[in-house]
Amino acid sequence: MSHKIILIGADQPALDAVLSYKRTTPDATATVLYPECNPLAEFSCVTLDSFMGNGIDFPENLRACAIAPEDKTVMVRDNFTGEESHLEYDTLIFATGSAPAPLDVPGSFLSGIRRVGDYNDATRLTAAEGTNVVIGDGLNLLLAIARLLDDAVGTIEVIPSSIPQACKPLGDAMTAMVLHHLTQKGVIIHTGETLKAIEGTNRANRVLTDKRTIEAARIINATSNIPVTCMVKDAGLDLDTTGHILVDDNLKAADSIYACGGCASFISPACAKPIPGASVKSTEPRQSRTLAASLAGTSQPFHAPVCAYSIPMGDMTVAGAGLSMEGAKECGFTPMSAMVVQFDRAHFMPEASLMTLELVFDAQTRRVVGIQGLGQSGDALAGRISAVSALLASHPTVEDIANLEVAYSPPFASAMDILNTAGNVAENILSGSNEGIDPLEFDTLWQNRESNEYFFLDCREFGNAEPFLERHPLHWNTIPQGEIARRVAEVPRDKKVILICNSGARSYEAQVCLKAAGIEDVVNVDGGMVAIKQSGVEI
C-alpha cells in the first residue's frame, strides 16, 4: 500500500518536505487541498509550476471542509458540483500558512490593499508615487517600511496598530530609537490614532482615522500574522493563544497529523510559551528537513527557534533574537536590561560606526534571554546578534556574554567587544554598582526638572557640556569625570543625581565615585547622549 499524504494548504516548507520524501519513496501519493474557509490567495502560479508534475496532485475543484481524525479522512466539497466526498489519508499535514490579521474596519476587503506578512511579501512590494499608507505593527511593519524606503518613491505614512506588549520585538527605548530614525527619513508616524475605515470606489485609495483622512496611492496591511486554522479545532488539535497549531520537535500535532510553516507553533527555549511559526520564517528550510524525516519514519528534531531577525532600514539595521523586556515579563522572568553604545570595531578604523545593543537578562538567575540592537553596519550588527542567538537555547549567563571570545581584528571588532561590554554592564547592574535609566526614563525626569528634585550632571569635558550649560543654566551642571573625586562637595546630597556622558562609560565611573563618597541616590543614563539623541529626546 502506498503512503497517502494529504496537505491542507500549500505553504512551501511542507511542499518541499513532501517532495524530498517522494524522492526516496516514489510510490507515495500527495494531494494538496485548498481549505474552504481559507481567506488567502489560492495556489499561485509559482507554486503550481514548482510542484505539479512531481507527483503532487492539486485538484483545483476540491475544497477541504472538515477533518475526521478518528477515521483518517478529510471531507471535501466539489466547487463545481457541490458534491461532498471523503478522502483517506495515512498522514495529514497542515500547511495553511499565516497572513496579516484582517484590518476589521469598513472597507478592509476592498481590492488593492497589499499584505506584508514576511520577507517574501516585502520583496514583492513596490512603492507608489504619492502617499503609501502602512497599517501594522511588529516585524511586519518594519519589513514593509524598509522595503518602501528602498524604493525611495512617494511618501510613507504609518498608522501603528495595537499589539500585545509581549509580542513586541523591541523594548520601549529601542522602539523609540527606530521611530526617531524613521521620522528623520521622512516617514510620518500617526502615533495614537485609530484606524476607522478604508474607502474607495473600485479600489482602496483613502484611509480614515479618528483624526484625519489620508488620500492613499497604496495601502499596506502589515499587522501581525494570524494562522489559517479554521478546521483545526474540530480536529481536536491543541492551539496556542494566537491560534497556531502546537507541534513537538518532530512537527507532530497529533497521531498521523503534522503542521509545518506559518501555521505551526513551537515552545520557546526561553520559557514554556509557544512561538508562532509565522514569526520565524527563516527556520522553514529546517522545518522541511524535519518533516521529511518524520514522513520517512525517522527523527531529525527541529530545535525551537529563538526568533532571530535582521531588517535593513536605509542606513540603519534593526536586529534581535530571543525575548524583549516585555516578552521576558510574560514568560515569568524578572527581567532587567543593559543598554550599551560602542563602536562596532576598533575606534581608529575609518569605517567604525556606533552600535547600540540591549541585553535582556533575568535578575534572579543571571540568565540572558534576549538581545536587540541597531547600527549602521548591518553585517557587524547581525554578527553580534547571531553570536548570542546561537547561545540562547543553552541558557547563557551574563558572565558568559562578558567572557565571550570574538574573532578579534581591528577592522572587525574592538579588543573589548561591544558584546563583552554589554555582559560587563549587566554584571555591574546585578552587583548594584551600576544603576541606570534608559533615555525615555531620562526624558521623564528632564520634563520635571522644574521640580528642583533632580541634579543633572554632565560628566564630559567642558567643551561638550558648554552648549547645554548655555541653554539650561539653571538645570544643567558639569564636572568632568576625572575631577569628580576632588569636587564631590559640589554634588548635592538632597537631590536625585542624574549622570550623563557620551556613551555611559564615564557616567558609570562617576557613579562609582559618588557612591563611594556616600551619595547613594544617583543614576546614570544608559547609552549616554548618543542614546538620548537616537531616541529623539530633546534637551
Side-chain angles (χ1 to χ4, degrees):
M1 294 286 291
S2 64
H3 185 176
K4 297 178 183 177
I5 302 170
I6 291 180
L7 297 93
I8 307 296
D11 212 5
Q12 185 166 338
L15 292 174
D16 286 338
V18 171
L19 199 58
S20 176
Y21 170 64
K22 281 182 59 62
R23 292 191 186 103
T24 58
T25 315
D27 61 337
T29 63
T31 302
V32 180
L33 298 173
Y34 185 75
E36 191 173 51
C37 55
N38 192 346
L40 300 182
E42 297 198 21
F43 310 127
S44 68
C45 293
V46 173
T47 299
L48 294 174
D49 288 345
S50 299
F51 296 98
M52 283 185 71
N54 288 296
I56 299 179
D57 186 27
F58 292 80
E60 295 186 71
N61 61 312
L62 298 182
R63 298 292 179 268
C65 305
I67 300 162
E70 65 279 4
D71 299 325
K72 287 192 171 182
T73 62
V74 177
M75 188 180 83
V76 297
R77 182 178 291 110
D78 191 303
N79 232 21
F80 302 144
T81 66
E83 181 181 351
E84 295 181 353
S85 58
H86 292 80
L87 299 181
E88 295 181 350
Y89 65 81
D90 297 306
T91 300
L92 179 67
I93 302 170
F94 278 94
T96 47
S98 62
L103 296 175
D104 197 25
V105 294
S108 61
F109 291 100
L110 286 170
S111 64
I113 300 176
R114 299 290 299 272
R115 289 186 298 198
V116 172
D118 56 40
Y119 283 94
N120 291 335
D121 290 344
T123 57
R124 291 190 289 266
L125 180 66
T126 56
E129 294 282 356
T131 302
N132 297 270
V133 178
V134 188
I135 305 156
D137 52 66
L139 294 181
N140 287 350
L141 177 62
L142 296 182
L143 285 170
I145 296 173
R147 183 65 188 89
L148 296 174
L149 285 173
D150 280 346
D151 279 356
V153 174
T155 60
I156 305 171
E157 298 196 29
V158 176
I159 303 172
S161 54
S162 61
I163 179 174
Q165 285 287 324
C167 297
K168 290 183 177 180
L170 300 169
D172 291 342
M174 200 70 74
T175 297
M177 293 179 185
V178 174
L179 294 180
H180 180 62
H181 170 77
L182 293 176
T183 57
Q184 288 184 313
K185 290 292 180 183
V187 177
I188 301 171
I189 303 173
H190 301 295
T191 304
E193 297 190 22
T194 302
L195 179 68
K196 289 297 184 181
I198 296 174
E199 297 180 345
T201 304
N202 297 316
R203 292 174 59 84
N205 57 20
R206 189 177 302 109
V207 174
L208 282 68
T209 75
D210 55 347
K211 295 183 179 178
R212 72 190 71 242
T213 298
I214 306 171
E215 299 295 332
R218 175 149 294 154
I219 300 173
I220 300 141
N221 176 2
T223 54
S224 294
N225 288 353
I226 60 170
V228 181
T229 50
C230 49
M231 296 186 297
V232 173
K233 287 185 178 179
D234 295 337
L237 303 183
D238 292 330
L239 305 179
D240 69 13
T241 55
T242 57
H244 292 77
I245 304 169
L246 282 168
V247 297
D248 64 14
D249 56 7
N250 287 304
L251 304 189
K252 193 172 185 178
D255 182 39
S256 302
I257 300 178
Y258 296 81
C260 183
C263 66
S265 180
F266 314 94
I267 299 300
S268 166
C271 64
K273 295 283 184 178
I275 300 176
S279 65
V280 285
K281 193 170 180 65
S282 62
T283 68
E284 287 184 354
R286 290 191 285 123
Q287 289 187 51
S288 294
R289 186 171 182 269
T290 295
L291 180 57
S294 295
L295 291 173
T298 61
S299 178
Q300 292 180 350
F302 173 78
H303 296 298
V306 295
C307 296
Y309 64 89
S310 59
I311 303 175
M313 307 192 73
D315 57 359
M316 183 186 76
T317 295
V318 182
L323 302 175
S324 64
M325 284 284 286
E326 290 75 13
K329 291 176 186 175
E330 178 72 13
C331 282
F333 291 109
T334 306
M336 303 180 77
S337 71
M339 180 176 289
V340 295
V341 178
Q342 185 175 307
F343 283 110
D344 56 11
R345 61 204 75 204
H347 66 88
F348 52 80
M349 297 302 298
E351 64 272 32
S353 60
L354 289 172
M355 180 187 296
T356 303
L357 293 181
E358 183 174 22
L359 191 70
V360 181
F361 53 94
D362 179 45
Q364 296 181 355
T365 63
R366 308 175 76 87
R367 175 181 164 189
V368 174
V369 296
I371 185 171
Q372 294 85 42
L374 52 90
Q376 295 180 26
S377 173
D379 289 345
L381 178 62
R384 271 50 172 224
I385 298 298
S386 295
V388 176
S389 172
L391 296 174
L392 286 178
S394 300
H395 300 180
T397 64
V398 295
E399 288 81 9
D400 293 326
I401 305 303
N403 289 285
L404 186 67
E405 186 172 355
V406 301
Y408 169 67
S409 180
F412 306 115
S414 301
M416 175 68 76
D417 188 72
I418 185 172
L419 281 177
N420 304 129
T421 301
N424 290 336
V425 171
E427 286 183 304
N428 292 337
I429 291 171
L430 288 170
S431 71
S433 64
N434 186 342
E435 295 184 41
I437 57 174
D438 66 37
L440 300 183
E441 293 171 305
F442 167 82
D443 187 38
T444 299
L445 299 179
W446 182 247
Q447 296 303 322
N448 290 304
R449 60 189 179 275
E450 298 291 347
S451 68
N452 204 33
E453 297 175 2
Y454 309 113
F455 185 78
F456 295 91
L457 180 56
D458 195 327
C459 303
R460 299 174 296 171
E461 296 302 315
F462 181 78
N464 297 120
E466 185 177 16
F468 300 93
L469 287 168
E470 293 176 350
R471 201 178 307 156
H472 304 288
L474 298 179
H475 303 290
W476 201 265
N477 306 276
T478 180
I479 303 176
Q481 180 260 321
E483 300 178 19
I484 283 182
R486 64 181 176 82
R487 297 175 59 183
V488 70
E490 299 176 33
V491 181
R493 295 174 179 268
D494 60 347
K495 295 182 181 181
K496 188 179 190 70
V497 180
I498 295 94
L499 301 170
I500 309 106
C501 69
N502 196 47
S503 65
R506 282 174 290 181
S507 58
Y508 166 68
E509 296 296 336
Q511 185 179 49
V512 172
C513 183
L514 291 176
K515 286 194 171 188
I519 300 176
E520 294 293 334
D521 194 6
V522 53
V523 295
N524 71 303
V525 180
D526 298 333
M529 289 299 295
V530 174
I532 289 172
K533 291 176 181 177
Q534 285 180 325
S535 303
V537 175
E538 296 185 3
I539 300 177

